Coordinates of all heavy atoms in Angstrom, one line a residue:
Y100 N 4.3 32.7 -10.2 CA 4.4 33.8 -9.3 C 5.2 35.0 -10.1 O 4.8 36.1 -10.0 CB 5.3 33.4 -8.1 CG 5.5 34.5 -7.1 CD1 4.5 34.9 -6.2 CD2 6.7 35.2 -7.0 CE1 4.6 35.9 -5.3 CE2 6.9 36.3 -6.1 CZ 5.9 36.6 -5.2 OH 6.1 37.6 -4.3
I101 N 6.3 34.6 -10.8 CA 7.0 35.6 -11.6 C 6.1 36.2 -12.7 O 6.1 37.4 -12.9 CB 8.3 35.0 -12.1 CG1 9.2 34.6 -10.9 CG2 9.0 36.0 -13.0 CD1 10.4 33.8 -11.3
R102 N 5.5 35.3 -13.4 CA 4.6 35.7 -14.5 C 3.5 36.7 -14.1 O 3.2 37.6 -14.7 CB 4.0 34.5 -15.2 CG 3.3 34.8 -16.5 CD 2.2 33.7 -16.8 NE 1.2 33.7 -15.8 CZ 0.2 34.6 -15.8 NH1 0.1 35.5 -16.8 NH2 -0.8 34.5 -14.9
R103 N 2.9 36.3 -12.9 CA 1.8 37.2 -12.3 C 2.4 38.6 -12.1 O 1.7 39.6 -12.3 CB 1.3 36.5 -11.1 CG 0.2 37.4 -10.4 CD -0.4 36.7 -9.3 NE -1.4 37.6 -8.5 CZ -1.1 38.2 -7.4 NH1 0.1 38.0 -6.9 NH2 -2.0 38.9 -6.8
G104 N 3.6 38.6 -11.4 CA 4.2 39.9 -11.1 C 4.4 40.8 -12.4 O 4.1 42.0 -12.4
I105 N 4.9 40.1 -13.4 CA 5.1 40.9 -14.7 C 3.8 41.3 -15.3 O 3.7 42.5 -15.9 CB 5.9 40.0 -15.7 CG1 7.3 39.7 -15.1 CG2 6.0 40.7 -17.1 CD1 8.1 38.7 -16.0
A106 N 2.8 40.5 -15.2 CA 1.4 40.9 -15.7 C 0.9 42.1 -15.0 O 0.3 42.9 -15.7 CB 0.5 39.7 -15.6
I107 N 1.1 42.1 -13.7 CA 0.6 43.3 -12.9 C 1.4 44.5 -13.3 O 0.8 45.6 -13.5 CB 0.7 43.0 -11.5 CG1 -0.3 41.9 -11.1 CG2 0.4 44.2 -10.7 CD1 -0.2 41.4 -9.6
E108 N 2.7 44.4 -13.5 CA 3.5 45.5 -13.9 C 3.1 46.1 -15.2 O 3.2 47.3 -15.5 CB 5.0 45.1 -13.9 CG 5.6 44.9 -12.5 CD 7.0 44.5 -12.6 OE1 7.6 44.4 -13.7 OE2 7.6 44.2 -11.5
E109 N 2.7 45.2 -16.1 CA 2.4 45.7 -17.5 C 0.9 46.1 -17.6 O 0.4 46.4 -18.7 CB 2.7 44.5 -18.5 CG 4.2 44.2 -18.6 CD 4.5 43.1 -19.6 OE1 3.5 42.4 -20.1 OE2 5.7 42.9 -19.9
G110 N 0.2 46.0 -16.5 CA -1.2 46.5 -16.5 C -2.2 45.5 -17.0 O -3.3 45.9 -17.5
F111 N -1.9 44.2 -16.9 CA -2.7 43.1 -17.5 C -3.5 42.4 -16.4 O -3.9 41.2 -16.6 CB -2.0 42.1 -18.3 CG -1.4 42.8 -19.6 CD1 -0.1 42.4 -20.0 CD2 -2.1 43.7 -20.3 CE1 0.4 42.9 -21.1 CE2 -1.5 44.3 -21.4 CZ -0.3 43.9 -21.9
S112 N -3.6 42.9 -15.1 CA -4.2 42.2 -14.0 C -5.6 41.8 -14.3 O -6.1 40.9 -13.7 CB -4.1 43.1 -12.8 OG -4.8 44.3 -13.0
D113 N -6.3 42.6 -15.2 CA -7.8 42.2 -15.4 C -8.0 41.7 -16.8 O -9.1 41.7 -17.3 CB -8.6 43.5 -15.2 CG -8.6 43.9 -13.7 OD1 -8.6 43.0 -12.9 OD2 -8.6 45.2 -13.5
E114 N -6.9 41.3 -17.5 CA -7.0 40.8 -18.9 C -6.5 39.4 -18.9 O -5.3 39.1 -19.1 CB -6.3 41.7 -19.9 CG -6.8 43.1 -19.9 CD -6.0 44.0 -20.9 OE1 -5.6 43.5 -21.9 OE2 -5.9 45.1 -20.6
P115 N -7.3 38.3 -18.8 CA -6.9 37.0 -18.7 C -6.2 36.4 -19.9 O -5.5 35.4 -19.7 CB -8.2 36.2 -18.4 CG -9.3 37.1 -18.9 CD -8.8 38.5 -18.7
R116 N -6.4 37.0 -21.1 CA -5.7 36.4 -22.3 C -4.6 37.3 -22.8 O -4.2 37.1 -23.9 CB -6.8 36.2 -23.4 CG -7.9 35.2 -23.0 CD -8.9 34.9 -24.1 NE -9.9 34.0 -23.7 CZ -10.8 33.5 -24.5 NH1 -11.0 34.0 -25.7 NH2 -11.7 32.6 -24.1
A117 N -4.3 38.3 -22.1 CA -3.2 39.2 -22.5 C -1.9 38.5 -22.5 O -1.5 37.6 -21.7 CB -3.1 40.4 -21.6
M118 N -1.0 38.8 -23.5 CA 0.3 38.2 -23.6 C 1.3 38.9 -22.8 O 1.5 40.1 -22.9 CB 0.7 38.2 -25.1 CG 2.1 37.5 -25.4 SD 1.9 35.7 -25.1 CE 0.8 35.3 -26.5
V119 N 1.9 38.2 -21.9 CA 2.9 38.8 -20.9 C 4.3 38.7 -21.6 O 4.6 37.6 -22.2 CB 2.9 38.1 -19.6 CG1 4.0 38.6 -18.7 CG2 1.5 38.2 -19.0
H120 N 5.1 39.7 -21.5 CA 6.4 39.7 -22.1 C 7.4 38.9 -21.2 O 8.3 39.5 -20.6 CB 6.9 41.1 -22.4 CG 6.1 41.8 -23.4 ND1 4.9 42.5 -23.2 CD2 6.3 41.8 -24.7 CE1 4.5 42.9 -24.3 NE2 5.2 42.6 -25.3
T121 N 7.3 37.6 -21.2 CA 8.3 36.7 -20.5 C 8.2 35.4 -21.3 O 7.2 35.0 -21.8 CB 7.9 36.5 -19.0 OG1 8.9 35.7 -18.4 CG2 6.6 35.8 -18.9

Side-chain angles (χ1 to χ4, degrees):
Y100 181 81
I101 296 171
R102 190 203 65 78
R103 175 175 176 261
I105 296 175
I107 293 174
E108 289 178 3
E109 295 180 352
F111 296 141
S112 58
D113 296 322
E114 299 180 34
R116 297 185 180 180
M118 186 67 67
V119 178
H120 291 87
T121 184

